[in-house]
Amino acid sequence: MRTRSAIVCMDGDDHLETITVRDLQTGEEQAEKTSHVFVFIGAQPLTTWLDGQVARDDRGFVLAGPDLLHGGSRPPGWTPPRDPWPLETSVPGVFAAGDVRAASVKRVASAVGEGALAVTLIHQYLERL
Ligand SMILES: Cc1cc2nc3c(=O)[nH]c(=O)nc-3n(C[C@H](O)[C@H](O)[C@H](O)COP(=O)(O)OP(=O)(O)OC[C@H]3O[C@@H](n4cnc5c(N)ncnc54)[C@H](O)[C@@H]3O)c2cc1C
């Protein structure tokens, strides 16, 4: 297990033979023999455009539902006389579903399910306006 590391080079003739792993803290690079790599990219949230609008955790994932309550207190600026519903963000009536939500499962099936639930909750929210 290499934490804070990145593959910076992949070498081989007709198939992968060697990868170079860089330690992102020290900059030290080390070659490792391997013939297989599982590419797991694309898991970072692109949510900086929500700055100052929707509460996020320190990694940029959108906080929703019970994750917004700190010591039982509702998020700053929250006006409805109720706690945020599941999937509801710090902006009442705005819901987050799928990978972008903090503490979500990060799987296709759960993202689809959360999307369906969010639609139901939006209808519920609009009916109560
Ligand atoms: C490498 C990898 C392998 C995976 N393998 C599996 C697996 O085997 N099984 C499994 O169940 N799950 C797997 N997952 C997880 C799965 O892909 C996600 O859980 C799922 O795609 C989440 O769906 P989503 O709709 O929440 O987000 P996404 O699929 O990420 O969709 C979000 C979309 O929003 C777009 N977007 C972002 N910002 C903006 C913006 N400002 N304006 C407009 N559009 C924007 C993005 O381009 C993207 O198209 C894998 C993920 C990765 C990265």
Side-chain angles (χ1 to χ4, degrees):
M1 175 84 73
R2 303 265 189 98
T3 58
R4 297 188 173 87
S5 301
I7 296 174
V8 293
C9 189
M10 301 168 81
D11 282 316
D13 290 327
D14 61 351
H15 64 276
L16 180 64
E17 294 173 11
T18 311
I19 59 170
T20 304
V21 182
R22 180 182 297 157
D23 184 315
L24 297 176
Q25 283 184 315
T26 64
E28 186 184 334
E29 294 185 0
Q30 196 172 357
E32 297 280 0
K33 288 194 182 308
T34 185
S35 55
H36 295 82
V37 162
F38 178 76
V39 180
F40 197 89
I41 58 173
Q44 289 185 340
L46 302 175
T47 55
T48 49
W49 61 283
L50 295 173
D51 268 350
Q53 300 175 67
V54 174
R56 296 172 300 145
D57 69 11
D58 55 4
R59 292 187 299 161
F61 291 97
V62 174
L63 293 165
D67 292 333
L68 284 163
L69 302 175
H70 296 289
S73 299
R74 294 167 184 160
W78 182 265
T79 53
R82 59 169 177 80
D83 289 347
W85 290 333
L87 307 185
E88 193 171 23
T89 70
S90 59
V91 179
V94 175
F95 296 83
D99 278 20
V100 79
R101 186 178 67 77
S104 64
V105 178
K106 314 290 188 251
R107 288 292 177 272
V108 170
S110 58
V112 172
E114 287 189 7
L117 176 59
V119 172
T120 301
L121 292 169
I122 290 165
H123 282 291
Q124 192 173 302
Y125 178 84
L126 293 173
E127 279 165 14
R128 294 185 186 194
L129 279 181

